[in-house]
Amino acid sequence: MWRCAVGSVLRRARRPRGVQHNAVKVRESGSCSGGASGNKWTRPSGFDTGLQAFNSLSKQKEPLILKREGVATWYSCGPTVYDHAHLGHACSYVRFDILQRVLSRLFGITVIHAMVITDIDDKIIKRSREENVSPTVIASMYEDEFKRDMLSLKVIPPAVYLRVTENVHHIVAFIEGIIKNGHAYATKEGDVYFDIQSIGDRYGKFAGAVDSEGEPGRTNKRDSRDFALWKPSKPQEPYWESPWGRGRPGWHIECSTVASSVFGSQLDIHSGGIDLAFPHHENEVAQSEAYHQCGQWANYFLHSGHLHLKGSAEKMSKSLKNYVTIKDFLQSHSASEFRMFCLLSKYRSAVDYSDSSVSAARTSLGTISTFIHDAQAYMKGQLQCSPVQEAFLWERLTETKSSVLRALADDFDTPRAINAVMKLVYHGNCQLQPVLKSDRQARSPAVFGAMVSYIRDILDVFGIDLLHSKEADVASSCENLEGVVEQLNRFRSEVRAFALARQDGPTAGSPKKPGLYPERIPLLKACDTLRADLAPLGVLIKVTEP
């Protein structure tokens, strides 16, 4: 879609397809970027997409360079399925869904997306005890609900979902590899910890990690920052057999193992909420690079900002009980409204959720829907307007396409892209100035057809389908209402014309106009009453005297 246009807009910013950057030295594995020293990010070799993305590893915008031309490997942390998903989760998943759609639909990049479902965890075990059912039942129930919620929000499913419980044997082997490489140790109690000191200054790629006290836990660790790769099971808890005894995986090891099982020792993009940067993503990086013996496992980390209830400094979360479930939100709002809400802020920015912010999204969609409806009415000849500045509109359309592409190539700046679309809608509305009589003036329906097609296409890229949204239903209802009013006005006009018909001669003594039929005068009064009653409802009927 628009790949030729993309090339022309970004030609100055990108290298020719297939031209590699200077090669980065790699370790013996041959597939994991090497050369990274300590916390320094190394620009990968490969194919420059011409896009810029804010990389949490370097803490600035970087050229998005992929290992393979036209292909992006993408791993994201999925949910821990012990409760209902809420809008805080939805905001992150929808935002990254939009980014993936932009990459694939606008820039021709195939996104191979894998996501892990955490289906065994302390919280799941606790919930299972509260509900007096097995952890498997809890995890299965909320996983199914999560997937339904994502589909209801038009989030494209990943290429593959992977569950932790189905990959424990891979996790055990992964831990054994880390121990073999000298970066983890087992205790006599059956714990396995990652050895932070073994990687020196390589720990602390994300802000605040170096000074951290580490995870709370047992006191049998060499360093307080060491984190669990394997935990011995407690009585009445699920467990798996391992070389260190019966137990289950630690939290962070699951993502490293699953991502490696799908993508090997090199990953283009890793995404998640900003709250996962430390310790989760920090520990993922440490154990993955320790296992693969490489300098840079994931080349780009993209983090989404928190969703806050307006007026609250805390993020929306289950633990704080300050959340709105996705299901509850969709009782009174549409998926398109929520997606527009996400588009109106940058994906990595914190955003306030409130009635007014959702209302702003609904208003934007309503403005677009109304323009499309009016433009189609003009194209059908149902809306008579003053002569349109056609050349001006063609220029604005071309300008909008370029502006949208530039905005999205600059760290996926969706607010700037939406603003460009809304400006196009504004210019279109300025040209749709209704007149009572057309006098066969020149018309320009083609340019409005092009504008409508483009707006629909770009919204479809963002996952918004106006043809099947509540906004479209409103527009359709308005169109039906206009039809009813038009028929009512036509009927009134015919009745009035009948009442104003004159006799052959004036009627003697009539207080009304001479020549009217006295018995028809009440019809005129009824027409005037109808006209007056419709005015407060926004229906103004202009009377032209014969």
Side-chain angles (χ1 to χ4, degrees):
M1 178 177 170
W2 310 321
R3 294 191 68 174
C4 292
V6 172
S8 63
V9 172
L10 302 180
R11 189 172 292 118
R12 294 182 180 179
R14 70 186 303 172
R15 296 173 182 266
R17 301 298 289 266
V19 177
Q20 295 193 23
H21 293 276
N22 295 331
V24 176
K25 183 179 179 181
V26 297
R27 300 288 288 270
E28 288 183 353
S29 63
S31 59
C32 189
S33 296
S37 175
N39 298 333
K40 184 179 179 181
W41 178 76
T42 299
R43 179 168 169 158
S45 61
F47 296 89
D48 193 339
T49 62
L51 284 74
Q52 298 270 325
F54 187 91
N55 190 358
S56 295
L57 288 171
S58 65
K59 303 173 182 60
Q60 63 183 19
K61 291 182 186 178
E62 303 287 357
L64 182 59
I65 300 170
L66 306 176
K67 180 181 178 182
R68 295 181 182 84
E69 182 177 11
V71 177
T73 54
W74 187 311
Y75 177 80
S76 65
C77 299
T80 300
V81 282
Y82 72 97
D83 205 342
H84 305 286
H86 57 66
L87 292 186
H89 303 127
C91 192
S92 181
Y93 292 122
V94 167
R95 282 169 154 180
F96 286 125
D97 176 71
I98 291 170
L99 267 57
Q100 292 175 357
R101 286 169 176 267
V102 167
L103 282 176
S104 61
R105 295 283 300 277
L106 287 185
F107 298 106
I109 296 169
T110 299
V111 178
I112 306 173
H113 179 205
M115 178 186 290
V116 71
I117 299 289
T118 302
D119 59 344
I120 186 64
D121 172 87
D122 289 340
K123 295 175 181 178
I124 295 173
I125 295 171
K126 179 182 177 183
R127 188 65 180 267
S128 72
R129 289 173 176 167
E130 293 171 350
E131 301 291 337
N132 197 27
V133 295
S134 74
T136 302
V137 170
I138 292 294
S140 177
M141 178 176 65
Y142 287 112
E143 177 185 337
D144 290 343
E145 182 180 290
F146 168 78
K147 290 177 178 177
R148 288 195 299 270
D149 285 341
M150 292 300 101
L151 289 175
S152 68
L153 291 172
K154 306 296 189 295
V155 173
I156 298 173
V160 60
Y161 283 111
L162 300 106
R163 300 182 186 91
V164 173
T165 56
E166 296 172 346
N167 285 273
V168 175
H169 59 296
H170 291 306
I171 292 173
V172 170
F174 203 89
I175 295 172
E176 288 181 305
I178 296 175
I179 293 175
K180 180 181 177 181
N181 291 336
H183 298 293
Y185 58 93
T187 70
K188 61 182 181 180
E189 293 86 3
D191 298 278
V192 180
Y193 291 110
F194 187 87
D195 187 355
I196 294 293
Q197 294 182 18
S198 71
I199 61 173
D201 65 353
R202 296 188 60 79
Y203 194 72
K205 295 181 183 293
F206 299 105
V210 176
D211 298 326
S212 172
E213 292 297 325
E215 298 178 343
R218 299 156 71 103
T219 59
N220 55 352
K221 297 189 289 185
R222 297 175 182 173
D223 188 302
S224 63
R225 299 173 300 165
D226 293 350
F227 55 90
L229 304 181
W230 187 262
K231 302 188 294 186
S233 62
K234 299 174 183 177
Q236 309 302 317
E237 284 188 352
Y239 64 84
W240 287 262
E241 299 291 347
S242 80
W244 319 286
R246 292 178 173 179
R248 55 190 174 89
W251 174 29
H252 317 294
I253 193 66
E254 64 188 50
C255 287
S256 293
T257 302
V258 168
S260 296
S261 71
V262 177
F263 300 119
S265 58
Q266 185 66 73
L267 177 64
D268 289 321
I269 300 171
H270 193 311
S271 65
I274 188 61
D275 55 313
L276 295 178
F278 186 84
H280 186 51
H281 291 163
E282 183 70 48
N283 294 345
E284 271 190 70
V285 170
Q287 61 202 7
S288 297
E289 293 177 356
Y291 175 85
H292 293 296
Q293 293 288 277
C294 66
Q296 191 163 283
W297 168 62
N299 287 329
Y300 300 87
F301 269 87
L302 307 183
H303 287 118
S304 60
H306 286 153
L307 180 69
H308 300 259
L309 287 175
K310 188 171 184 180
S312 172
E314 302 290 345
K315 69 171 185 174
M316 187 178 289
S317 70
K318 296 175 186 176
S319 60
L320 295 174
K321 305 296 183 183
N322 64 344
Y323 63 87
V324 178
T325 68
I326 296 170
K327 186 179 298 184
D328 287 345
F329 175 86
L330 292 175
Q331 292 295 319
S332 54
H333 302 86
S334 70
S336 292
E337 288 171 358
F338 188 74
R339 296 185 78 90
M340 179 59 80
F341 167 80
C342 293
L343 286 162
L344 291 175
S345 62
K346 292 185 178 181
Y347 75 93
R348 56 190 177 91
S349 300
V351 58
D352 284 337
Y353 172 80
S354 65
D355 290 341
S356 60
S357 59
V358 176
S359 177
R362 175 179 286 178
T363 299
S364 296
L365 285 174
T367 300
I368 294 171
S369 295
T370 300
F371 167 71
I372 290 176
H373 171 260
D374 291 346
Q376 289 177 329
Y378 174 81
M379 294 170 67
K380 293 175 183 178
Q382 297 172 348
L383 179 63
Q384 305 302 323
C385 294
S386 304
V388 169
Q389 294 178 310
E390 184 174 351
F392 173 79
L393 288 181
W394 283 115
E395 290 173 1
R396 296 291 75 73
L397 177 58
T398 300
E399 180 184 86
T400 300
K401 291 180 179 180
S402 298
S403 297
V404 168
L405 286 174
R406 283 195 298 270
L408 296 176
D410 182 13
D411 193 30
F412 309 98
D413 193 340
T414 56
R416 186 148 55 100
I418 291 297
N419 185 56
V421 173
M422 297 308 294
K423 282 184 178 179
L424 179 65
V425 169
Y426 168 77
H427 289 305
N429 280 330
C430 288
Q431 296 296 314
L432 290 175
Q433 296 298 323
V435 294
L436 292 177
K437 294 183 179 180
S438 64
D439 296 330
R440 298 185 179 276
Q441 295 177 351
R443 302 179 68 254
S444 305
V447 68
F448 285 101
M451 293 167 70
V452 168
S453 296
Y454 172 73
I455 292 170
R456 279 182 171 169
D457 284 346
I458 195 63
L459 290 181
D460 186 60
V461 169
F462 296 145
I464 295 175
D465 182 3
L466 291 180
L467 294 177
H468 301 93
S469 66
K470 290 183 179 180
E471 292 74 30
D473 293 340
V474 170
S476 177
S477 298
C478 291
E479 187 173 358
N480 292 336
L481 180 59
E482 288 178 7
V484 171
V485 172
E486 184 178 343
Q487 293 295 332
L488 179 62
N489 187 44
R490 183 179 294 115
F491 174 75
R492 176 186 175 280
S493 297
E494 291 177 358
V495 170
R496 191 166 182 275
F498 174 75
L500 289 172
R502 299 188 180 189
Q503 302 183 68
D504 293 337
T507 302
S510 173
K512 301 297 180 182
K513 291 183 179 181
L516 297 180
Y517 291 96
E519 65 274 15
R520 299 183 185 180
I521 291 176
L523 293 177
L524 283 176
K525 293 182 178 179
C527 288
D528 291 339
T529 300
L530 175 62
R531 176 170 172 259
D533 290 344
L534 289 176
L537 301 177
V539 180
L540 302 178
I541 299 177
K542 294 183 178 182
V543 178
T544 303
E545 295 296 336

